[in-house]
Structures are given as C-alpha cells and as structure tokens.
Amino acid sequence: MYRCYFVLLFGFIFSLNAQNVYFVDGYHGGIYGHYPVEWKTAFILENLNKYPEWKICFEIEPETWDSVKQKTPIQFDIFKNISHSDRLEFTNPTYAQPYCYNISGESIIRQFQYGINKINSHFPGVSFNTYSVEEPCFTSSLPQILKSFGFNYAVLKCPNTCWGGYTSAYGKDLVNWIGPDGTSLVTVPRYGCEDFEDNSTWQTTAWINSPEYINACFSYGVKNPVGMCFQDAGWKNGPWLGFGAKNKSNSVYVTWKEYFEKISDGKTADNWHFTQEDVRVNLMWGSQVLQKIAQQVRHSENKIVQAEKLSAMAYLENGFKPDQKQMDEAWRTLMLAQHHDSWIVPYNRMNKTNTWADEIAVWTNKTNDTSNEIMQKSLGSFENATAGNDYFIRVYNTVGFLRNEVVAMQLPENLMAGTFRLLDADKKEISYSVSKANTIHFQANVPAFGYATYQLSKLKSVKKSVEKTFRKTADECTLENDMYKIVFDLNKGGTIKSLVSKTQGNKEYVSKQSELLLGEIRGFFYEQNKFRSSAESKAKVTLLESNAHKSTVRISGHIASHSFDQTVTISTGSAVVDFDLNIKWKHNEGIGEYKQQDNWQENRRAFCNDRYKLNIWFPVDLKTPKLYKNAPFDVCESRLNNTTFNTWDSIKHNVILNWIDLSEQENGDGLALFSDHTTSYTYGDNLPLGLTIQYSGKGLWGPDYKITGSTKLKYALVPHSQKWDKAAVQSKNTAWNEPLIARVSKGLKSENRSFIDLKNSGYELSAVQITENGVLMRLFNAESNAGEQKIDIGFRFNEITEVELNGTQRQSDPALKKINANELTLSIPQFGIRNIYLKN
C-alpha cells in the first residue's frame, strides 16, 4: 500500500555497555504492492555496492521478478548472480503476501508452493530459511507449514507496519514457537519489552533501534537486541538506519539467517504455545467492501478445491486430466485476491481505473469460471454417449466421509418431475418431493470422496411426497421437521422465540435471561444516536417451500426504515439450520460507536468496538460455555473474557474464519455458528455471541466505508451435544463449504463408488491433487487425537510415500504406520497435516 513516512534520524548517544545491537533491513512490496520496476533493482544494486556492510532481506511478490527481467534485463542478471550471497535473504516467498489468518489453510500452502516455484524459476537453488514479514501476516499453524517447506526460523515482529495489528509481546531473544500440532520453530518474538511507539498507531519501538528500545531490551535481559524494518519498495531509502557516522545506534546490519546462526544462541528452552489469539488483528470488519471481498475469496477457495477433487476422481476412474496451466492460473488469480493490501486498503487504486476491490472481483470471477469449466469437463468424462437412453442423477461428494443429505436437482425440460421413479444402485425406490421449477428433492446417501448414482425410471402413476412442516398465526409461525421445531416471533421482527433440538431430548436453545433476542439484528445508528433493531417492527412470513425433505420460509421485516428479507431452511436429517439474509438499504446509514472524523490515526477508533456495529445476536441457553473458533489448520479455545476494545493498542483477536462454537463441558450441549466469510464477532461482558454484519463510517487512511447497496450474507446454526470435536463441527462445516454436486446424465452405470474413505477418523481431506503418475492426498487431523486411525483407498496404487510440502520424503514422525491391502493405518497429531503420495 502507499504510505508516506517522514523519518527523522536525529542524533542520540547511549551506552551499549560494550554489547552489540543488530538490525535487519529489507524491502517489502512488488508489482501489485509498489515496486517501481524501472529503477528499484538498480537502486538496490547501487546501494549494496556503495555500502559493503549493508545486508538486506526481501519480501517481494514473486511475480515482480518477471517484470524486472523483462524491463531491466541487465540489472536482473546482476541481481541473479548475487542472489545466493550471504548479504541477501528471501524471507517471505508467498505468492501474494496474504495475512494468512483470514484464508484457508490450503490457500496458505498454495501461496508458499506457487511463490517458491516462481522465485526458483528466476533464482534456482536459493534457500528459504527464515519467515519474516512487514505486516501481521501470521497464523498459529505456521510452524508446521514452514518446517515442511524447509524453513528453520521465524520472526513474529512487524514493527514498522502494525496498522492492521501485531502479535502479543512475549519473551526475550528467542522462543520456540509451538504450533497447535506440537511443531516447534525457533523464533524471534516481539519481545516482552517491545512497546508501542509513542504517538504512533502503526509502530512498535523496534522499528528504528532507538535508545529507548535498546535500553529497554538490555534492562529486560535481552542479550542480543535486534530491530527490523522492511521498507516499502517504493521508497528511495538505502540503509534504513544510515551508515557509518549516520548510524547513530551503531547497529550491525544482519540478515535474519545470520542473526539466528551466528549472533543468537540458536536455541532456547522457552516454549511459547502461541495461539490464534496471539495474532491481534483488526480490519474494517463489517464494512460492505471488505465483506464482499471476504465472500468472494471464500467462494473461490471452496470452488477451486472442489474442482481439483472432482478432477482427481475423474482421473482415477477415467484417466481424465485437466489442463494444469489452466488450474495454475485459477490458483494464481485466487492468490492475488488474497493479497493483504486487498483487505486493508480495498479503496486504493491499483491502476487508473480499478481499486483493489475492483480487481478482486475480476480475479475471483476468473478463478470461478475456470473452476466451473474444469468441474464440467471432469463430470462429463464419466458419461458414455453411446451407452443408452436411460437418465441418471449422479451425486458427487468431495469430502472424505459418507454423507446422507437432501439434494435439490432441477431437471431438464424433457424430464417432468413426478413422472418417474427414482432408483438407487440397488434398484431400491427412493422417495422424492417435487417443488417449483421442475425441481425434485431427495435424500442422497453418498459414499466418502466418491459418488452415488440414481436411475430415473418411468412411472405409470404419479406419487408426491407431502408433509406439513409449517404453521402460522397472526403472532408467530412454526417451522418443524424431524430435527427441529423453530418458532418465530412475528411481533418482534421474526426473531426466534424457541429453537428446540429434537435429537437432544427437546433441548431448548433460546435464552430467557437475555435482553437481546435470538436472531435479532441490532446496531448503533450514530446519526440517530440510538440503537436500532429488527425487533422494533412486526415481520411478515412467507412459506417458500414445504415438503418431506426441505422447508423454507422468508421472514420480511425492517431495521429503522430499511427492509430486509431472511430465508430460513431446514432439511430432513440435517443438523444445519441455514439462513440467507438480505438487507435492502434505502440509503447510507452511519453505524458504529460514533462518527469517526478525519482523526482515524488516533488511538481510539470508532471502527474497533464491534458491539456497536450491526450484529446478529445469538443469546443461547448454555451453562458457562467455552468459546472455540477455527483457524487455518487449528481450532482455538478462547482465553478472552470478552472481545471488547476500542483502541489500536488494545486489539483482541475476535476473528471468525469459518465457525465459532459455544460448548458446555465435555458431555454438555453446544451451538456452532457458521459464516460464509471471514469477519469479526462479539462475545462477553454480559453480551451473547454476535456476528458482525455492518459498519458504516470512516476507517483506515480516511475513506468513508459507506453502505452502497444491499448487505447479503449466509450463515448457519448447528445445535449439538458434546464438545465441538466430538460433535464433528469442523466436518459439518467442511460439508457446508463443499456441497454435494448433482448432475443429470445419460450413459452412466448404476453404481456407487468411494475413492477415499476417511471413515470416523476425524481427518479432513484438505486436498486431492493429480500428480504426474498418481495423486497427492493431504490430510488434516481436525477432530481426533494422535491415536491410530484406519482409512480405505478405493483405487489401485503401486507405491505409497509420505512427503513434505516441499516434495521431499518425510523423514521424522511418519504418519503411515501400516498398509493392509487398500487399508491404511495412520497416526497424525491433532491439528497436524500430512501428505500421502499414491502412485498408480
């Protein structure tokens, strides 16, 4: 992003007590984040030559080197020749420098894979030893990801660019960063004495090796103090602290690799179990622009992973292979949409016409279009055009466990719903319901990572499955099926006055103790100087669908003068209650703690305190529940008493990636909340769980984050027994993000098949990728302990190898314990990821 810093390198003198202090200098940016290709490389080379003791680290978008090579080939060749020098270090090879905490674990892996490959294509053989970044691009599971790519060290400082957050202050010279799976990585932390810079809301004291910082380090017991600054690549600065007499702190320039291996002790006994709540970050949660970006990225993440998995099924059965260049380009555009700048400065212009937000829409649309094309080609490869005229519905399941779910299938015009029988692979008749637009609903029982096939057989008499699941009075309406009975209070905006889970002994989830109502939409409209709520107005209800398989109602109400529609859907046998909200704003409204003026750089900020933003509230009847939230390859048990903060220097982690769960003790009850995008949540201080859905007002760098259209989002509630892992909350969310895929086809065999069955292992299929002569299966242990688990492989393979993310064979702590024909016995620590390469 473009930021101007005026740095005054004033003269100061302080005692070093004969101890050296160190500084890691570097550059951050790229062609998407300000790397002036025409002069920057020459400038770097000139300064390296001018200051022989200067050493620098590079956090440069890998695509940048394509442009450098094309536009300044002479300088590129010179740089290539010195790229292995011990004066240079590549510290963040990710393709587009994502924040990491806000995207999927699989996306993080691809960011590193594609980025490292791109850098190695220009500078073969360069090593990646230390992960270090300018912005808070951190997440708790990085240790195992970094180690599997060959990294040895990490740095948890980002002292010059903390606009969007920072890590917790902890420790001294070195710590062992312990990830959720137990992986340990030697790390330089943000020291326990590393305070925030005075009169700044974007820096810690380590940014310039000031006397205050150095003296604080020595007083705290830091043996070898080190500061850092990765300069914006658009700045015309050489050595950040100056050189010679201008380097007033007498700091020694080092690379991070040099610091770890030649300056520090290189090891420590201080084990820091760094949790996701140590990533203290705050973006413009609830603003429409960020909400749309987060939804677009999430949708594309889900889409491309399903496309890869479907193509792997097609490869294993039909030998189909998609165009790998096409797949790579789909990942490339998604990775660009995950760039940290797109999330923190969405209104900044990337070119003369488009902002970051504009480009993200273009990039994710490209990813979606390509993914859809690959999916259609993969599905088409199963069909045999000469195999007869019978029609079939085949349902594909891209997750690693059996699913029994309601499927909605719109039939082609030549197949009239209700004029045929539906037969499964055993020729057993399956009941179905008919709804509008020639659509049928039926219960599909689909094998793990595989498909189920249903034949459409002609029927003489039409049978329709009908069930009454909806009742309505003037004051309330009731939606009911085999799983739930939900009562909506129409006098209070359609909020939920009763939510009974029938499978939990008719457990009532609605709290009678809270002033807020379940499903209430409420926030502070600061121009009106009061809270406004959907419960202020009477709502109307419309039955959209009601049959033996699926029921949907639409609740229509108002928030102040603005109307909203919300559909609520329950399906037979499904623990998930789906909500689809659309707030149709008439005009912009100021929503937040107060009206933010142009003083957005001040410590207190209106966009920090989410309890004043528009939230959907979920007061539930649970006894002293604990809060759990997922993160990339992790689930974090919250330690926070509350999520409330309103200043930059008191940020708390209140981010929902995919889901949040409130659970009583081990054998109690719980409620999970799913979100279709990364955003924030509110909880504690006598407030129930709230999902942030709207902020409107000024924000970072001063733009007015206005309401410019409708607010649209999807979320879901999942009542359950026991803790989140025993209740398979992660698995249910994975299925929610990867819906069953149904297709009407001719020329199919009436059969079912599973290619990979994870059974009840608690494992997740993070990815299944086609390789040169087989498939790569990436497993994530989300819900079980490290005990042995058995999984089935439903295809032939000649060789099996466990590999690291960098492609080398795994040497330590192998997951694979036994192979018995096509049954594998594995042991993976909880929250661990393992890569199994099956050659066939």
Side-chain angles (χ1 to χ4, degrees):
M1 72 203 68
Y2 179 78
R3 289 160 293 214
C4 292
Y5 300 104
F6 294 92
V7 180
L8 180 62
L9 296 177
F10 51 88
F12 50 76
I13 300 174
F14 57 94
S15 171
L16 295 181
N17 299 321
Q19 290 179 277
N20 285 329
V21 295
Y22 302 92
F23 195 80
V24 178
D25 205 349
Y27 289 110
H28 156 93
I31 54 170
Y32 299 101
H34 38 81
Y35 185 103
V37 173
E38 292 76 11
W39 60 267
K40 188 64 187 186
T41 311
F43 177 83
I44 293 171
L45 294 170
E46 177 186 338
N47 278 272
L48 282 169
N49 186 57
K50 184 177 180 181
Y51 304 108
E53 294 180 23
W54 188 41
K55 299 170 184 178
I56 51 175
C57 292
F58 287 91
E59 189 196 13
I60 302 298
E61 299 155 9
E63 264 192 37
T64 304
W65 304 112
D66 293 343
S67 298
V68 173
K69 183 177 182 179
Q70 179 184 10
K71 295 184 178 180
T72 58
I74 295 175
Q75 287 76 19
F76 173 85
D77 288 340
I78 297 172
F79 187 86
K80 181 177 181 178
N81 288 335
I82 67 168
S83 60
H84 290 75
S85 167
D86 59 8
R87 295 177 65 190
L88 310 180
E89 184 178 4
F90 293 87
T91 64
N92 180 9
T94 55
Y95 203 88
Q97 301 171 357
Y99 276 129
C100 295
Y101 66 82
N102 59 334
I103 60 177
S104 71
E106 190 59 38
S107 288
I108 296 171
I109 289 173
R110 304 310 175 93
Q111 286 276 354
F112 277 99
Q113 283 181 335
Y114 281 99
I116 288 171
N117 289 340
K118 173 62 75 172
I119 291 175
N120 280 332
S121 72
H122 289 296
F123 314 116
V126 296
S127 60
F128 303 96
N129 296 285
T130 311
Y131 179 75
S132 180
V133 292
E134 186 212 11
E135 308 227 13
C137 300
F138 304 112
T139 197
S140 57
S141 61
L142 275 177
Q144 67 170 326
I145 294 173
L146 292 171
K147 271 204 164 180
S148 195
F149 276 111
F151 285 76
N152 298 309
Y153 318 108
V155 179
L156 285 168
K157 298 177 183 286
C158 56
N160 195 46
T161 312
C162 301
W163 299 100
Y166 39 81
T167 58
S168 298
Y170 173 88
K172 300 178 182 178
D173 296 74
L174 299 176
V175 299
N176 295 318
W177 176 359
I178 309 297
D181 69 315
T183 299
S184 175
L185 190 67
V186 178
T187 299
V188 171
R190 176 189 157 211
Y191 302 144
C193 62
E194 187 178 328
D195 291 330
F196 300 118
E197 185 77 2
D198 290 341
N199 302 313
S200 171
T201 52
W202 68 89
Q203 295 159 309
T204 73
T205 52
W207 76 293
I208 200 171
N209 272 13
S210 67
E212 292 80 12
Y213 171 64
I214 300 301
N215 288 331
C217 288
F218 287 141
S219 296
Y220 194 69
V222 179
K223 291 169 56 179
N224 299 292
V226 60
M228 68 170 284
C229 177
F230 284 2
Q231 305 176 47
D232 191 301
W235 299 345
K236 289 190 175 182
N237 292 311
W240 182 243
L241 300 183
F243 212 82
K246 293 183 178 180
N247 181 0
K248 303 298 182 181
S249 64
N250 295 316
S251 296
V252 178
Y253 287 104
V254 291
T255 63
W256 278 120
K257 182 176 186 292
E258 179 184 6
Y259 179 84
F260 279 104
E261 296 181 354
K262 296 182 179 180
I263 309 300
S264 77
D265 293 337
K267 60 183 179 179
T268 178
D270 188 355
N271 294 329
W272 186 18
H273 291 268
F274 182 97
T275 80
Q276 196 69 356
E277 290 190 337
D278 290 306
V279 183
R280 302 187 177 194
V281 287
N282 183 44
L283 297 177
M284 297 302 301
W285 306 123
S287 65
Q288 282 195 338
V289 63
L290 184 56
Q291 189 176 79
K292 289 177 181 178
I293 287 169
Q295 288 171 328
Q296 289 162 348
V297 168
R298 174 68 51 77
H299 181 72
S300 293
E301 284 180 327
N302 295 337
K303 181 72 72 173
I304 195 170
V305 166
Q306 282 202 289
E308 272 191 341
K309 290 179 176 180
L310 276 176
S311 65
M313 288 186 205
Y315 166 72
L316 291 169
E317 179 149 320
N318 313 310
F320 168 83
K321 280 192 174 184
D323 184 336
Q324 189 58 46
K325 290 184 178 179
Q326 192 179 30
M327 184 72 80
D328 292 341
E329 179 62 16
W331 271 109
R332 172 184 169 271
T333 50
L334 171 57
M335 290 186 297
L336 292 177
Q338 294 167 336
H339 195 292
H340 67 271
D341 276 350
S342 66
W343 291 68
I344 196 168
V345 285
Y347 288 131
N348 277 16
R349 291 205 172 275
M350 294 190 63
N351 49 51
K352 293 181 180 180
T353 58
N354 281 0
T355 63
W356 275 100
D358 296 329
E359 286 296 325
I360 287 162
V362 173
W363 285 329
T364 52
N365 282 340
K366 287 182 178 179
T367 298
N368 297 340
D369 289 345
T370 300
S371 298
N372 285 330
E373 182 180 342
I374 291 172
M375 290 171 76
Q376 292 306 311
K377 289 179 178 178
S378 299
L379 295 173
S381 72
F382 287 91
E383 299 170 0
N384 182 353
T386 62
N389 294 319
D390 289 336
Y391 282 96
F392 298 85
I393 297 175
R394 180 164 284 178
V395 184
Y396 297 84
N397 175 16
T398 58
V399 304
F401 49 85
L402 173 74
R403 294 165 74 174
N404 193 332
E405 297 178 17
V406 173
V407 170
M409 182 75 238
Q410 185 173 10
L411 302 176
E413 292 181 358
N414 61 326
L415 290 173
M416 185 59 62
T419 64
F420 53 80
R421 292 188 300 160
L422 190 64
L423 305 178
D424 67 12
D426 296 324
K427 303 302 180 183
K428 179 182 176 182
E429 185 169 356
I430 305 298
S431 66
Y432 66 89
S433 305
V434 180
S435 63
K436 299 174 182 178
N438 203 32
T439 298
I440 66 169
H441 300 268
F442 65 97
Q443 199 83 21
N445 193 40
V446 192
F449 196 68
Y451 59 76
T453 311
Y454 299 87
Q455 185 178 1
L456 303 178
S457 178
K458 290 183 179 180
L459 179 68
K460 293 181 179 179
S461 60
V462 177
K463 294 182 180 179
K464 292 186 179 182
S465 179
V466 179
E467 185 171 305
K468 190 173 182 180
T469 60
F470 173 77
R471 296 184 298 280
K472 175 186 174 184
T473 68
D475 299 321
E476 63 183 38
C477 71
T478 301
L479 195 61
E480 186 172 4
N481 69 356
D482 62 324
M483 300 293 291
Y484 300 113
K485 180 180 179 181
I486 307 173
V487 181
F488 300 90
D489 190 336
L490 300 181
N491 291 323
K492 295 183 178 179
T495 54
I496 296 174
K497 65 185 297 184
S498 176
L499 170 55
V500 171
S501 175
K502 295 182 178 180
T503 61
Q504 294 172 256
N506 291 323
K507 157 72 178 175
E508 172 62 73
Y509 270 89
V510 174
S511 171
K512 307 301 182 185
Q513 308 302 317
S514 174
E515 293 181 2
L516 294 168
L517 305 174
L518 200 152
E520 181 178 358
I521 305 169
R522 181 179 184 266
F524 191 71
F525 287 49
Y526 55 74
E527 289 169 340
Q528 300 181 33
N529 196 32
K530 61 180 177 180
F531 283 94
R532 300 304 305 265
S533 167
S534 60
E536 296 172 6
S537 305
K538 189 175 177 66
K540 296 180 180 180
V541 63
T542 305
L543 179 64
L544 300 180
E545 196 161 47
S546 180
N547 56 58
H549 294 92
K550 182 179 177 182
S551 296
T552 302
V553 295
R554 181 175 64 224
I555 305 293
S556 301
H558 286 81
I559 306 166
S561 63
H562 311 278
S563 64
F564 72 87
D565 288 329
Q566 179 165 245
T567 62
V568 185
T569 300
I570 54 175
S571 300
T572 302
S574 175
V576 180
V577 182
D578 281 302
F579 298 79
D580 193 335
L581 175 65
N582 180 10
I583 304 175
K584 295 172 280 189
W585 301 98
K586 292 180 177 180
H587 51 76
N588 181 53
E589 288 275 13
I591 302 174
E593 185 179 9
Y594 57 89
K595 185 174 183 178
Q596 181 75 55
Q597 304 296 336
D598 292 330
N599 56 344
W600 58 270
Q601 294 188 55
E602 289 188 359
N603 192 32
R604 186 181 177 196
R605 299 167 173 182
F607 49 85
C608 288
N609 198 337
D610 289 349
R611 66 192 300 170
Y612 288 90
K613 296 176 182 177
L614 198 67
N615 282 265
I616 307 173
W617 296 99
F618 305 98
V620 291
D621 185 18
L622 296 173
K623 298 176 182 178
T624 60
K626 292 184 177 180
L627 186 145
Y628 301 87
K629 48 191 168 186
N630 86 312
F633 296 130
D634 189 14
V635 176
C636 173
E637 179 181 329
S638 180
R639 302 172 185 171
L640 300 174
N641 293 323
N642 61 70
T643 59
T644 301
F645 65 92
N646 59 12
T647 59
W648 170 82
D649 62 4
S650 63
I651 294 174
K652 300 177 185 180
H653 184 281
N654 64 341
V655 177
I656 173 172
L657 179 65
N658 299 98
W659 58 265
I660 283 180
D661 185 72
L662 293 174
S663 290
E664 295 175 336
Q665 301 306 310
E666 196 70 27
N667 295 315
D669 297 312
L671 181 84
L673 167 66
F674 295 171
S675 172
D676 72 347
H677 67 292
T678 302
T679 185
S680 63
Y681 71 93
T682 298
Y683 187 66
D685 274 351
N686 298 317
L687 283 175
L689 180 63
L691 180 68
T692 304
I693 61 171
Q694 189 68 70
Y695 169 77
S696 178
K698 288 194 174 181
L700 288 168
W701 288 280
D704 194 353
Y705 285 73
K706 292 182 177 181
I707 295 171
T708 58
S710 295
T711 295
K712 298 179 181 180
L713 67 143
K714 296 180 180 180
Y715 64 97
L717 295 178
V718 184
H720 61 83
S721 298
Q722 300 188 303
K723 212 174 80 172
W724 69 270
D725 48 354
K726 299 287 178 58
V729 168
Q730 174 72 18
S731 295
K732 289 180 174 66
N733 183 259
T734 300
W736 194 67
N737 284 309
E738 296 185 35
L740 295 172
I741 299 167
R743 177 179 169 111
V744 176
S745 305
K746 285 185 177 182
L748 296 177
K749 295 180 180 179
S750 185
E751 62 181 4
N752 299 344
R753 185 175 183 184
S754 172
F755 297 92
I756 301 170
D757 188 352
L758 303 183
K759 300 182 176 179
N760 296 315
S761 64
Y763 295 172
E764 177 182 315
L765 269 180
S766 179
V768 183
Q769 297 173 260
I770 301 171
T771 62
E772 185 175 347
N773 56 354
V775 294
L776 180 74
M777 171 179 65
R778 183 152 34 253
L779 302 175
F780 167 50
N781 181 4
E783 294 170 345
S784 71
N785 57 31
E788 291 188 352
Q789 304 289 342
K790 298 182 187 299
I791 69 173
D792 289 338
I793 304 299
F795 56 89
R796 293 182 181 179
F797 58 91
N798 302 322
E799 184 180 336
I800 183 168
T801 309
E802 189 173 348
V803 296
E804 300 285 7
L805 292 172
N806 62 7
T808 62
Q809 187 166 344
R810 186 176 180 88
Q811 301 297 325
S812 62
D813 190 25
L816 190 60
K817 304 301 181 185
K818 188 189 302 181
I819 305 173
N820 182 14
N822 277 40
E823 182 184 73
L824 309 182
T825 302
L826 303 105
S827 174
I828 303 173
Q830 188 168 22
F831 308 127
I833 52 175
R834 294 294 186 268
N835 310 286
I836 309 297
Y837 182 22
L838 297 147
K839 296 182 180 180
N840 66 333

